[in-house]
Amino acid sequence: MAFEKNILCIGAGYVGGPTMAMIAHKCPQYRVTIVDINPKRIAAWNSDDLPIYEPGLDEIVKAVRGRNLFFSGEIEGGIKEADIIFVSVNTPTKTFGAGAGMAADLQYWEKTARQIREASQSHKIIVEKSTLPVKTALAMERILTSTANGIHFDILSNPEFLAEGTGIKDLENPDRVLIGSGETPDGLKARDELVEIYANWVPRERIITSNIWSSELSKLVSNAFLAQRISSINSISSLCEKTEADIAEVARAVGMDSRVGGKFLNASIGFGGSCFKKDILNLVYLCRHYGLDEVADYWEGVVKINDYQKERFILNMLGAMFNTLAGKKICLFGFAFKANTGDTRESPAISVSRRLVEEKAKLVITDPRALINAEADLADIKEEIDLIEDPYEAAAGCDAIAVMTEWDIYATLDFEKIYGNMRKPAFIFDGRNILDHSNLFKIGFNVFPVGKPPLTHF
Ligand code: NAD
Ligand code: UGA
């Protein structure tokens, strides 16, 4: 069968895999190929055990793989054949040199731009899918047009807004798709071509267009606003703990104002995930670069409150458990940065684990999906840690449970049974406020939620 278009995606990660699977699923008329420099990842995408866990992903990949979705390590060949290339490589925080710890590390992205330039023999549309600093498209254009081979490239920005754990739903029914382009006739033509791809399943009114710089910046700002809501509610959770106010009641009252809205106001142990912190720091770095120090300080506060929230959680544990955790056994319920994913990048559970081990506690970690990643994240302190998939077995013999991830299963466990097998006095620190606190208290636990008065038997 002849396909109408050849679409290539460079980068087979949490974004590249699911987004391209969705395009292939919704558009059988296109051939979609995903390439990656990591052969293990490609092999996993071609196996029955996909490299990432995302509800609904397996079904889609199995339906379209080999039909119009292909995973391959052949980057050069893929580039040659493609009409449209999505670039979805990682853009982590730089760990070295100028801007270390703040700026985006653009080495993977730049290498891709050069690969595209070297391998291309015909006109292509290049789509920035990775999250990038504003003005990156300009650098992309300069790299791509720096040889005199006459090949024309159109660069578009099309940031991804999916959240892990709900990625397939988000892709199938997005709040909006944003496409930024140059305002030249070629730029607008390329933009319309990308609009047509999404219009196969996304209502036109939800496909919005803008200039390319607005699009790049909107992605950073979207994540900054989302993270800011979490830091706002978390900052107030500390005040609730001092004043006997209840953060859930405050969030409900505030969120029912339709101008504020009720979503993303769950107080927690802090936000994690590969992007919030990195994208805010990137925004902060850009602001400082342009001399906007007050603006930079404002956004940096969001990350500072997040660090404060994690440290506060540890200090609350320490204070509640008679100011020493040395030799105590603590069970972490969950290690993923949020429910319904195995991803642990920047998970609050990582820093909490490290701090508890610093306090000389012993850890038992349980999680339905993230234990392999947990083992890798904590390899240097593995002597202090047991990884046990069954939560009942994990909690047995422990002094305390600390809820790190809001997996539904934790709310439905038999806590009488768990209490019976723990050391006494037994403590629960609910870093996600997902458990039935008064019931736990009745069972005998000393209960410490986030932003609510503790329930203790002392
Ligand atoms: P990831 O690390 O899971 O995947 C990136 C992939 O790119 C890796 O498999 C890596 O091997 C590959 N890669 C790197 N350089 C390459 C090259 N030169 N050629 C071929 N492959 C190469 O990252 P991710 O989570 O998918 O994120 C990708 C981008 O999307 C980032 O900019 C991120 O900020 C953004 N983003 C992520 C999410 C998310 O939920 N994870 C959501 C929205 C946006
Ligand atoms: C986030 C954004 O929601 C996506 O729109 C964006 O595309 C993505 O980042 C990205 O650029 O990578 P993600 O990090 O996958 O998605 O998940 P979120 O649902 O945003 O949760 C992030 C963190 O905030 C998690 O640790 C979560 O537990 C925490 N959170 C979320 C709270 O603590 N409270 C809340 O009310 C909501």
Side-chain angles (χ1 to χ4, degrees), residues 4-5 18 24 60 62 83 133 139-140 195 207 218 228-229 231 306 361 369 387 401-402 427 441 450:
E4 275 176 31
K5 269 187 218 307
I60 291 188
K62 280 175 191 155
D83 306 305
M140 173 74 98
V195 168
I207 306 175
S218 298
Q228 180 205 41
R229 277 176 80 90
S231 279
N306 201 48
R369 292 280 173 183
L387 302 163
I401 291 170
F427 295 81
F441 176 67
V450 174

Side-chain angles (χ1 to χ4, degrees), residues 316-361:
N316 279 349
M317 286 180 84
L318 194 57
M321 295 175 76
F322 319 114
N323 292 312
T324 174
L325 298 176
K328 288 184 179 154
K329 235 174 135 185
I330 295 173
C331 180
L332 299 191
F333 270 20
F335 200 81
F337 82 95
K338 64 182 284 196
N340 299 316
T341 177
D343 194 352
T344 60
R345 291 179 292 177
E346 293 292 336
S347 176
I350 299 177
S351 46
V352 166
S353 298
R354 293 190 179 283
R355 280 291 286 110
L356 290 174
V357 167
E358 251 173 51
E359 297 291 342
K360 301 209 176 302

Side-chain angles (χ1 to χ4, degrees), residues 154-427:
D154 288 301
I155 297 154
L156 301 174
S157 160
N158 170 222
E160 184 48 60
F161 296 105
L162 71 80
E164 288 177 33
T166 54
I168 296 300
K169 273 196 241 154
D170 296 341
L171 288 167
E172 192 143 34
N173 189 21
D175 286 350
R176 79 305 206 183
V177 167
L178 173 60
I179 301 173
S181 68
E183 280 151 339
T184 59
D186 281 342
L188 297 176
K189 192 165 162 255
R191 178 196 75 184
D192 291 346
E193 215 174 312
L194 188 54
V195 168
E196 288 311 314
I197 294 179
Y198 283 106
N200 281 289
W201 78 96
V202 180
R204 294 256 174 187
E205 64 277 11
R206 282 199 240 151
I207 306 175
I208 59 173
T209 59
S210 72
N211 84 35
I212 200 159
W213 320 125
S214 308
S215 173
E216 289 179 333
L217 185 56
S218 298
K219 173 63 196 176
L220 294 182
V221 174
S222 293
N223 275 358
F225 270 55
L226 289 168
Q228 180 205 41
R229 277 176 80 90
I230 302 169
S231 279
S232 296
I233 204 73
N234 281 344
S235 71
I236 300 301
S237 73
S238 64
L239 186 57
C240 286
E241 286 166 29
K242 301 279 182 211
T243 57
E244 292 177 42
D246 178 324
I247 195 64
E249 292 176 354
V250 174
R252 179 161 174 257
V254 173
M256 276 179 77
D257 184 324
S258 59
R259 292 169 300 177
V260 177
K263 291 184 186 166
F264 249 68
L265 286 179
N266 294 323
S268 67
I269 186 174
F271 60 76
S274 62
C275 294
F276 278 177
K277 184 175 172 191
K278 114 176 142 57
D279 292 347
I280 295 177
L281 292 178
N282 188 346
L283 184 66
V284 169
Y285 184 75
L286 279 168
C287 292
R288 291 214 195 285
H289 170 80
Y290 289 110
L292 304 170
D293 283 331
E294 286 77 3
V295 184
D297 292 344
Y298 174 74
W299 288 107
E300 200 165 17
V302 172
V303 175
K304 283 189 182 153
I305 286 289
N306 201 48
D307 291 339
Y308 167 72
Q309 188 75 350
K310 288 183 271 185
E311 182 59 15
R312 225 167 58 69
F313 190 80
I314 298 291
L315 296 181
N316 279 349
M317 286 180 84
L318 194 57
M321 295 175 76
F322 319 114
N323 292 312
T324 174
L325 298 176
K328 288 184 179 154
K329 235 174 135 185
I330 295 173
C331 180
L332 299 191
F333 270 20
F335 200 81
F337 82 95
K338 64 182 284 196
N340 299 316
T341 177
D343 194 352
T344 60
R345 291 179 292 177
E346 293 292 336
S347 176
I350 299 177
S351 46
V352 166
S353 298
R354 293 190 179 283
R355 280 291 286 110
L356 290 174
V357 167
E358 251 173 51
E359 297 291 342
K360 301 209 176 302
K362 298 272 178 205
L363 299 189
V364 186
I365 299 175
T366 180
D367 189 291
R369 292 280 173 183
L371 290 187
I372 293 174
N373 283 335
E375 189 172 17
D377 293 332
L378 303 176
D380 56 317
I381 48 170
K382 63 173 190 265
E383 282 74 28
E384 314 306 323
I385 294 165
D386 284 323
L387 302 163
I388 299 179
E389 202 164 314
D390 177 47
Y392 293 101
E393 207 187 310
C398 287
D399 297 275
I401 291 170
V403 180
M404 298 285 106
T405 312
E406 69 281 25
W407 286 103
D408 284 345
I409 46 157
Y410 297 145
T412 59
L413 296 173
D414 177 349
F415 277 97
E416 295 228 21
K417 181 172 157 192
I418 289 176
Y419 181 76
N421 291 326
M422 286 178 69
R423 285 192 13 167
K424 309 295 178 318
F427 295 81

